[in-house]
Amino acid sequence: MTSRELSRSLWKAVDALGSRSRPQCERTVWRAQQSFQPRISRCISTTAARYAEATEQETWEPFAAAPPIEFDSSGDGGKKDSKNMMRTLRVVPASPSYFSAKPTFTDDFLSLSALLRTVATLPVIPPAEAPKVAWKTIDQYRIMTNEPVKTARYHKMLHILRRLNCIHPSLVPDEVVQAMLRYKKPNQPGDIKPTPGVIDELGRSKGVGRRKTSSAVAWLVEGEGEVLVNGKSLSQFFGRLHHRESAVWALKATHRLDKYNLFALVQGGGLTGQAEAMTLAVAKSLLVHEPALKPALRRAGCVTRDPRKVERKKAGHVKARKMPTWVKR
């Protein structure tokens, strides 16, 4: 197509546009311009322009703030109305941790902290002299509250409880005693008391001791230091020096070898178990005569029973834990 024919076709198009209505002409011109002009992708924000146009066209409606609340009303029921209004304005939950999943621990911790602040000025005693209390374990507390309490947080609560327990026993308030009952075990160390030993008409005191599978019964009576074990002398029954010292260690540690006569019956186990069973039996019988020797006997290790035993053999093992030698082929 030649240039003259192109110009003629353009003139014809312009004449056709002039005969149409105005909106259609504008739309056709816009499309022609878009066809001749190259397209350029641009990111133009029109939010500000549209907001300016909207503010020019629209008018904001007038508004006013809420009227102030008059708590001191002059009516007859002014006080009652103000109280009712305060209740409806904001409902304060009974628990400070109402919006937490499990508020039991938080409530307990806050109550103990508040109680400690009220009694913080009372005189205290050293922790070693405070009454011995067995507190509930973390597992027992979790079962009681049905809450997965962390160990570190429970230890903080125990620290407050131990501080409350150190208040002087004669000045402990009743509210502190009632608060600590919730966290104590059902059985306390001081509740179970052994029956006191009795010296019979012959001046003898009896003591029973056990170790491993051995058991021993010892009788002590004031004398010159004679020792009989199953009707034999100490050197005849125990050949090793270590076993002899273990049998009469309670008397030797308190320097009472030459003040009492000892008669013992032992059975079960071996010589080591029998000798150590006699240690506990002699210590118990000695405490009947002289209860004041208990701290010295405890330091010597004669008061508490040794719970260790030989571990049983397992099936497929050579011994309790030894496995057979592994052979590749």
Side-chain angles (χ1 to χ4, degrees):
M1 183 182 293
T2 60
S3 60
R4 291 183 179 181
E5 294 178 354
L6 180 61
S7 60
R8 289 176 183 175
S9 60
L10 288 174
W11 279 111
K12 289 180 180 180
V14 170
D15 294 339
L17 289 173
S19 62
R20 292 187 181 184
S21 61
R22 188 178 184 85
Q24 294 178 354
C25 293
E26 292 178 355
R27 193 180 303 110
T28 308
V29 171
W30 177 79
R31 288 179 180 175
Q33 290 177 355
Q34 292 293 327
S35 62
F36 283 104
Q37 294 178 0
R39 293 186 179 181
I40 301 174
S41 60
R42 295 179 181 178
C43 182
I44 301 174
S45 176
T46 59
T47 306
R50 291 178 182 176
Y51 181 78
E53 293 177 0
T55 53
E56 291 177 359
Q57 296 176 0
E58 298 178 1
T59 56
W60 298 106
E61 297 180 358
F63 67 94
I69 301 172
E70 297 179 1
F71 296 102
D72 299 331
S73 58
S74 59
D76 296 334
K79 294 183 179 179
K80 295 182 179 179
D81 295 341
S82 62
K83 289 182 179 179
N84 295 332
M85 191 177 298
M86 286 296 296
R87 290 173 182 171
T88 56
L89 286 176
R90 180 173 179 267
V91 179
V92 181
S95 170
S97 56
Y98 173 78
F99 297 101
S100 61
K102 291 284 186 178
T104 309
F105 172 79
T106 308
D107 293 344
D108 293 345
F109 186 81
L110 292 176
S111 62
L112 288 176
S113 301
L115 185 60
L116 180 60
R117 286 194 295 270
T118 57
V119 299
T121 56
L122 294 178
V124 297
I125 57 178
E129 301 178 5
K132 293 184 179 180
V133 178
W135 305 107
K136 289 183 178 179
T137 61
I138 179 65
D139 296 329
Q140 291 175 339
Y141 184 78
R142 287 170 180 168
I143 294 172
M144 180 180 69
T145 59
N146 192 21
E147 183 176 351
V149 182
K150 293 184 179 180
T151 307
R153 300 184 69 188
Y154 186 67
H155 284 174
K156 292 181 180 180
M157 179 185 287
L158 289 182
H159 180 73
I160 298 176
L161 290 170
R162 294 190 186 101
R163 171 62 178 79
L164 293 173
N165 190 44
C166 289
I167 300 174
H168 199 279
S170 60
L171 301 175
V172 179
D174 294 336
E175 54 182 353
V176 175
V177 176
Q178 296 298 326
M180 290 193 300
L181 284 176
R182 172 178 169 81
Y183 309 98
K184 291 182 179 179
K185 287 184 178 180
N187 299 325
Q188 294 298 315
D191 296 344
I192 303 174
K193 295 182 179 179
T195 56
V198 179
I199 300 176
D200 60 6
E201 62 278 2
L202 300 177
R204 299 175 302 179
S205 62
K206 180 182 177 181
V208 180
R210 292 180 178 84
R211 173 74 172 99
K212 296 183 181 179
T213 57
S214 305
S215 61
V217 183
W219 289 270
L220 272 183
V221 63
E222 295 183 2
E224 299 80 18
E226 183 182 356
V227 179
L228 291 177
V229 181
N230 287 359
K232 300 179 182 179
S233 64
L234 186 65
S235 58
Q236 290 178 349
F237 193 84
F238 295 110
R240 293 181 60 191
L241 179 62
H242 177 71
H243 292 161
R244 300 174 196 169
E245 289 185 352
S246 297
V248 294
W249 176 244
L251 297 174
K252 187 175 182 179
T254 55
H255 307 286
R256 298 293 192 278
L257 276 175
D258 55 346
K259 295 184 178 180
Y260 293 96
N261 291 338
L262 172 61
F263 306 95
L265 294 176
V266 296
Q267 62 179 359
L271 294 177
T272 302
Q274 292 176 356
E276 294 183 5
M278 275 191 62
T279 305
L280 183 58
V282 173
K284 288 182 178 180
S285 59
L286 181 59
L287 285 176
V288 178
H289 285 280
E290 301 182 50
L293 293 176
K294 187 170 184 178
L297 291 173
R298 185 173 293 280
R299 286 193 299 269
C302 303
V303 177
T304 306
R305 180 192 172 182
D306 192 347
R308 296 176 298 175
K309 290 186 178 182
V310 178
E311 190 174 349
R312 67 173 289 270
K313 181 185 177 299
K314 279 80 174 181
H317 292 206
V318 178
K319 295 192 296 184
R321 301 194 180 189
K322 183 180 179 182
M323 293 290 290
T325 306
W326 181 78
V327 181
K328 186 174 183 180
R329 292 179 181 86

